[in-house]
Amino acid sequence: AALGLRAPPLLGAMRALSRAACTLAARVVALTDGMAELARAQGARVVDVIPQGADLGLFGPQVAPWRPAGAASHEMLAVYAGTHGAANGLDALLDAAGALRGVPVRIVLVGEGARKPGLMARAAAEGLANVTFLDPLPKPRLAALLAGSQVGLLCLAPVPAFAEWTAPNKLVEGLAAGLPMVVNVPGRAARLVEAGGCGLAVPPG
């Protein structure tokens, strides 16, 4: 609904299922305080908040770095790894790539999704030679890419509901890899980055 879906029967059925799941559950585990509040509003009686973590056996300073073909040794790599869908707002990263022409920064987008063909077509049409698209990577390979990069990117579309109701694993995995994170979603992610002094929070869009 927050993304603009207009299908009242479907949304009504999803809300009913959500309420039934929360009401009937003996315990609900939420990834954020915002998700916990939502679960309680849906009738959950016992809610625990267990924030996301990252597997430090996979992500960390011990990982041998890897850089994709086409990435020059002098370029700073800024990596987004995740779904390429409407919720992710990845046109903002192509906007950034356009603004960074001539600067030794390469934006690497890893993953798959409905918007990927359009993003690739736009990058080609605009001659964004500083953008690299990669297929989804197994976790060990992604960890190696992050180890060989300098910045992690968390990008979401400017949807207010995302502020407290999302917990993207790309944030914790990037931090586990030791990368400063650039995030464009307010709320929990921005607070984590700012409080920890471990990146930059920019406005939505």
Side-chain angles (χ1 to χ4, degrees), residues 96-203:
L100 290 168
R101 293 178 195 269
V103 179
V105 174
R106 175 168 297 278
I107 295 176
V108 181
L109 292 93
V110 184
E112 198 55 84
R115 295 290 175 89
K116 184 170 184 175
L119 292 165
M120 295 180 71
R122 178 188 163 189
E126 296 181 12
L128 297 176
N130 56 346
V131 177
T132 295
F133 290 92
L134 297 177
D135 290 336
L137 296 172
K139 287 289 187 180
R141 194 65 163 164
L142 175 59
L145 174 61
L146 295 180
S149 303
Q150 287 70 49
V151 174
L153 301 171
L154 168 54
C155 187
L156 284 172
V159 177
F162 289 166
E164 305 298 340
W165 294 354
T166 57
N169 60 351
K170 58 185 69 65
L171 175 61
V172 292
E173 290 175 351
L175 292 175
L179 297 181
M181 297 295 299
V182 177
V183 306
N184 76 339
V185 56
R188 176 181 176 272
R191 290 193 300 272
L192 283 172
V193 166
E194 291 176 332
C198 51
L200 177 67
V202 299

Side-chain angles (χ1 to χ4, degrees), residues 6 17 24 52 64 74-75 96 112 120 128-129 150 168 175 186:
R6 297 291 176 262
L17 181 62
L24 297 174
Q52 265 178 316
H74 67 281
E75 288 181 318
E112 198 55 84
M120 295 180 71
L128 297 176
Q150 287 70 49
L175 292 175

Side-chain angles (χ1 to χ4, degrees), residues 5 7-15:
L5 176 65
L10 176 61
L11 288 173
M14 292 171 69
R15 290 190 181 101

